[in-house]
Amino acid sequence: MIIDPREVQYINSFSRFESFQEVYGTVWILVPILILVLGITIGVLVIVWLERAISAGIQQRIGPEYTGPLGILQALADGTKLFFKENLLPSRGDIRLFSLGPSMAVISILLSYSVIPFSYRLVLADLNVGVFLWIAVASIAPIGLLMSGYGSNNKYSFLGGLRATAQSISYEIPLTLCVLSISLLSNSSSTVDIVEAQSKYGFWGWNLWRQPIGFIVLLISSLAECERLPFDLPEAEEELVTGYQTEYSGIKFGLFYVTSYFNLLVSSLFVTILYLGGWNLSIPWIDFPQLFEINKVGAIFATTISLFITLAKTFFFLFISITTRWTLARLRMDQLLNLGWKFLLPISLGNLLLTTSSQLLSL
């Protein structure tokens, strides 16, 4: 049998082309994920700067102003310092749990961003159970905090981890019931479908007007899930010396610090999506994405404007969260649990029953 050298060359070229196609496909899958992570990181840096500037204004003092113009590089400088600091390990602690805890907390929150529609068709994964994926994934973070507290071999850290778990369980149930009410109103658990269901009547089609009780309950539960004042009992500097973070230093402490802002940002985004119409311009009878979708340039412009609208609504709730931190005093642990189990849970359950009854009567 005689083999033509040109055929061998064609086969090798085809094999190289197939390998290149596989590598290109893998890289193309990773590019949106990397862009999303980069955007989230920049957003967290902006939130850290905003919190310092707003808190300085509330307390009538000078905020960050020396690191970069208006102090905008202060958060980046702090992150660089934490990155190069030494990581100390407790001599009698469980090193595996101690090291795994921060990573689990960060990864669980980052996975929530995969189902968030930032703009028209700008979503990493449009799942049929998108909102419940957020709740399921976010519930993993307290497990990482409990692992961190237990692995630190410190009673204050362990108490902080236990408080984080108890607080998460207490406020996840009302939050889930509020999300379930929104899913019943929208006839879908997809985040994209929930936003589109609010676009029919513009501003008056927001779920905020149809679910005002659920909006208030979810807003309070989100603050508790993010461990923001007045719900920062897992840290409580006066009682627990920052709780589960006590034995951490360097980049591991930085991961916990970033996780709190990741969680705050994702909670504000979900409030925007569930109750404020997401990316919609809120003008009735105007389909904003299709208004500019005449060509590719118009589609890009529409996506950019929609993204800006989503972020504007999100940062409005971030402003509320930041001002709340510097306005209200910390609750006691019994007050926190009573608020979750004796007030928010019955209210959210009653809201769900009312929503279900109205949906059944409308059939």
Side-chain angles (χ1 to χ4, degrees), residues 29-46:
I29 292 174
L30 295 176
V31 166
I33 299 175
L34 294 176
I35 293 175
L36 179 61
V37 172
L38 180 62
I40 295 168
T41 305
I42 295 174
V44 166
L45 294 177
V46 174

Side-chain angles (χ1 to χ4, degrees), residues 94-291:
D94 191 322
I95 305 302
R96 290 178 298 178
L97 294 180
F98 185 83
S99 302
L100 187 60
S103 303
M104 180 175 291
V106 172
I107 293 173
S108 62
I109 300 301
L110 283 177
L111 288 175
S112 304
Y113 286 91
S114 60
V115 295
I116 295 178
F118 292 90
S119 178
Y120 182 67
R121 297 179 181 175
L122 190 60
V123 57
L124 197 61
D126 181 16
L127 303 179
N128 294 329
V129 290
V131 289
F132 294 106
L133 176 68
W134 164 50
I135 296 172
V137 171
S139 63
I140 300 175
I143 300 176
L145 305 185
L146 182 61
M147 292 168 56
S148 302
Y150 180 79
S152 298
N153 192 28
N154 182 314
K155 62 180 181 180
Y156 298 108
S157 300
F158 186 51
L159 284 174
L162 289 176
R163 282 187 176 187
T165 306
Q167 181 170 316
S168 176
I169 294 173
S170 301
Y171 286 88
E172 271 184 5
I173 299 175
L175 187 146
T176 304
L177 293 176
C178 294
V179 172
L180 183 57
S181 300
I182 295 296
S183 298
L184 289 174
L185 281 179
S186 306
N187 295 320
S188 176
S189 297
S190 169
T191 52
V192 175
D193 292 343
I194 290 174
V195 174
E196 291 181 347
Q198 302 176 67
S199 62
K200 185 175 181 181
Y201 301 106
F203 176 77
W204 300 111
W206 289 357
N207 289 327
L208 172 64
W209 314 118
R210 296 191 289 175
Q211 290 280 312
I213 298 175
F215 171 74
I216 296 173
V217 172
L218 188 135
L219 191 60
I220 297 173
S221 301
S222 298
L223 288 177
E225 286 290 310
C226 297
E227 299 172 10
R228 303 282 297 184
L229 269 168
F231 304 105
D232 65 335
L233 270 297
E235 300 175 10
E237 293 86 350
E238 295 85 353
E239 305 171 34
L240 301 177
V241 203
T242 70
Y244 55 85
Q245 306 179 27
T246 303
E247 299 295 332
Y248 282 90
S249 62
I251 190 62
K252 289 187 175 67
F253 175 81
L255 288 177
F256 278 127
Y257 186 76
V258 169
T259 299
S260 64
Y261 286 99
F262 279 162
N263 203 2
L264 180 61
L265 179 59
V266 74
S267 298
S268 300
L269 283 167
F270 269 102
V271 170
T272 300
I273 291 166
L274 296 177
Y275 290 96
L276 297 187
W279 67 78
N280 288 319
L281 189 61
S282 305
I283 298 178
W285 306 291
I286 294 180
D287 194 351
F288 183 70
Q290 293 184 2
L291 185 64

